[in-house]
Amino acid sequence: MSRTSCDVVDEAFVAAPPSAVWSAVLSENAHESSWWAPYWEAHPRGPTPLSVGSVIDYVVHPAGDRFRFIASRFTGRITDLEENRLARAELIEGDLRGIGEWILEPADGGIRVRMHFRAESRSRNLLDRLLNMVFDLGKTHSYVARKGFVGLSRHLADDSAVPAGHANGPRETAARGSAPAEATAWGTAQESRDIGRRWLKGGTNAPRVNRLRDAIRLAGVIATGVLSRRPVRPLGDEARRPLPGDDLVSGKLPWTHGVTIRARPTEIWPWLVQMGCRRAGWYSYDGLDNDGVPSADRIVPELQRVEVGDILPWTATATDGFLVRAVELERALVLGEASESFTWALVLEPIDETSTRLVTRVRARYERLAIGLMLGLVWRPIHFGMQRRQLSTSSVGLSPEWARWTGNDC
């Protein structure tokens, strides 16, 4: 298969009755539910209720809420419906041609859900053509499918969707051991959800001027990178020596930063594990990465439990975010994504009884030169600016202790 065509099968285990899964699939395609949002939208033309011959317009946003302008639009016609077993549609118009199938098979304690997608791109849009040169259609679909499985599981009030593999080349879905926790979206405990709502309250209407202000500040840091890099530059062999998480991604682009903090790891660790949008924030430019909600200015006891597989949301409305890949108590927190395309490690290394180095490293892998150029020329400067703010500044609402510890207040 080329990058503009694919024949893939993605699957998950869902601990729910066949009738419940079947109803959820039909309701999503009938635009009666939105458990696949913001990645997938269905708008039926008719006839309804859905039956053989029904025509549905689809809009797929592979990047979710982050880049809404990136979208595929196509139309499908239902050709087969076998209750509690099979739903098949032919893609007849728009950016894609092919077939899409939902296949339900009974399994111990639930249902094995398979998504079979065979399609080729027919888009004439210049942006789509450029994206097709960079991104593989099959891998993109599998990424969106994983989000669908997580949303389906949450919709059914069950946290057991297990992405189980990819039938077209290398395995792209999450490992079986970590995916169940991914289905919990952004917290495994009710108290975490409650505290998340507390931080989010009032944030969605944050003044645009705050976003613009933070965007200007970020641009200024990036533009003066030669000087602004000095407070967070790696020292000694920090950029070269192995860190926790390095073995999770064979990264071609490792980016390492660090800061000396006048505190012990036990004092710093609670601030790291409570990070996340709808949690305690990211201690960076809140207008850009926390929906305008000030990052926490205290340690939040309800957010001190973090485990491998948990999700730390990256936006106020996202159903996904950073996947916790590894945890070493009071030493290392490694974040990433189920597709294993990157890791972000935050590592605490004691210097003496009163000081600690907080060393961060991002490792990203890519298969095509175009992706490498995009990461190096676009994403790396943005990450540097956001990371610098997190490490060495006291952003609006951030605990004064952090600024005192790092020796920065700018």
Side-chain angles (χ1 to χ4, degrees):
M1 293 290 172
S2 69
R3 303 188 70 82
T4 58
S5 64
C6 69
D7 188 353
V8 296
V9 177
D10 295 277
E11 61 182 52
F13 173 81
V14 179
S19 58
V21 178
W22 179 256
S23 176
V25 170
L26 290 187
S27 67
E28 183 71 15
N29 282 274
H31 198 60
E32 296 171 353
S33 60
S34 57
W35 47 261
W36 210 337
Y39 298 92
W40 182 282
E41 302 172 16
H43 304 276
R45 298 183 189 176
T48 55
L50 296 182
S51 60
V52 173
S54 292
V55 176
I56 307 171
D57 293 324
Y58 295 99
V59 183
V60 178
H61 298 279
D65 283 330
R66 287 173 286 177
F67 301 99
R68 295 289 290 177
F69 63 90
I70 300 178
S72 292
R73 295 173 171 82
F74 52 91
T75 300
R77 179 190 294 117
I78 296 178
T79 58
D80 293 277
L81 278 179
E82 299 180 25
E83 188 173 1
N84 296 339
R85 200 188 80 81
L86 173 69
R88 179 185 292 118
E90 180 184 4
L91 311 184
I92 57 176
E93 298 176 9
D95 295 339
L96 299 173
R97 298 290 193 280
I99 65 166
E101 295 178 316
W102 286 85
I103 304 168
L104 310 185
E105 297 181 353
D108 290 341
I111 291 294
R112 176 68 59 181
V113 182
R114 288 191 173 91
M115 289 184 62
H116 177 209
F117 188 70
R118 185 176 72 240
E120 62 177 335
S121 175
R122 296 286 184 88
S123 176
R124 297 182 179 181
N125 181 284
L126 178 59
L127 176 60
D128 287 343
R129 291 186 177 185
L130 291 174
L131 291 174
N132 285 336
M133 296 173 62
V134 177
F135 298 105
D136 181 275
L137 178 61
K139 293 181 179 180
T140 300
H141 176 268
S142 291
Y143 177 83
V144 174
R146 287 196 302 274
K147 302 305 180 183
F149 290 142
V150 172
L152 173 62
S153 184
R154 292 173 61 235
H155 175 73
L156 296 170
D158 180 90
D159 292 336
S160 56
V162 184
H166 186 301
N168 183 32
R171 191 172 182 218
E172 292 297 323
T173 52
R176 182 178 295 269
S178 62
E182 181 180 349
T184 65
W186 60 273
T188 57
Q190 182 62 42
E191 58 266 25
S192 294
R193 287 188 278 270
D194 292 339
I195 197 71
R197 295 191 189 99
R198 192 184 312 161
W199 293 126
L200 183 58
K201 185 177 180 181
T204 54
N205 294 317
R208 292 185 178 181
V209 65
N210 291 341
R211 303 177 192 278
L212 178 60
R213 176 201 62 199
D214 282 350
I216 293 174
R217 288 178 174 178
L218 175 62
V221 170
I222 294 173
T224 59
V226 174
L227 296 177
S228 58
R229 183 176 179 271
R230 294 184 62 185
V232 296
R233 68 188 185 279
L235 302 180
D237 63 346
E238 287 178 345
R240 299 186 301 275
R241 72 167 179 262
L243 292 179
D246 283 358
D247 58 326
L248 297 176
V249 171
S250 57
K252 300 179 181 179
L253 290 175
W255 312 328
T256 304
H257 302 96
V259 67
T260 299
I261 300 176
R262 295 189 296 273
R264 295 171 299 174
T266 54
E267 298 175 277
I268 304 168
W269 181 254
W271 295 91
L272 300 183
V273 297
Q274 67 184 26
M275 292 190 307
C277 201
R278 303 202 300 272
R279 289 168 58 88
W282 295 106
Y283 319 130
S284 187
Y285 294 103
D286 292 320
L288 302 179
D289 66 3
N290 205 39
D291 204 43
V293 181
S295 294
D297 60 359
R298 63 183 177 89
I299 294 174
V300 184
E302 298 92 335
L303 299 176
Q304 293 305 302
R305 184 177 62 187
V306 64
E307 300 174 351
V308 172
D310 286 350
I311 297 293
L312 308 185
W314 41 42
T315 71
T317 58
T319 57
D320 59 355
F322 292 104
L323 174 67
V324 178
R325 299 292 307 278
V327 178
E328 295 182 30
L329 184 63
E330 297 182 353
R331 180 168 185 261
L333 177 65
V334 182
L335 309 178
E337 196 175 36
S339 63
E340 301 180 354
S341 59
F342 74 91
T343 55
W344 177 27
L346 299 99
V347 182
L348 299 174
E349 299 184 334
I351 299 175
D352 51 39
E353 294 183 356
T354 61
S355 300
T356 303
R357 282 289 288 177
L358 171 54
V359 181
T360 69
R361 176 174 294 166
V362 168
R363 291 173 63 87
R365 66 176 176 85
Y366 59 90
E367 298 178 358
R368 293 175 62 87
L369 178 61
I371 297 179
L373 291 174
M374 180 181 68
L375 290 172
L377 298 178
V378 179
W379 185 246
R380 182 171 186 171
I382 294 174
H383 167 74
F384 157 71
M386 303 296 286
Q387 182 73 88
R388 180 189 185 278
R389 179 71 168 179
Q390 182 189 64
L391 289 177
S392 61
T393 68
S394 57
S395 58
V396 177
L398 189 59
S399 169
E401 294 153 290
W402 188 274
R404 172 173 58 81
W405 286 343
T406 60
N408 291 279
D409 189 7
C410 53

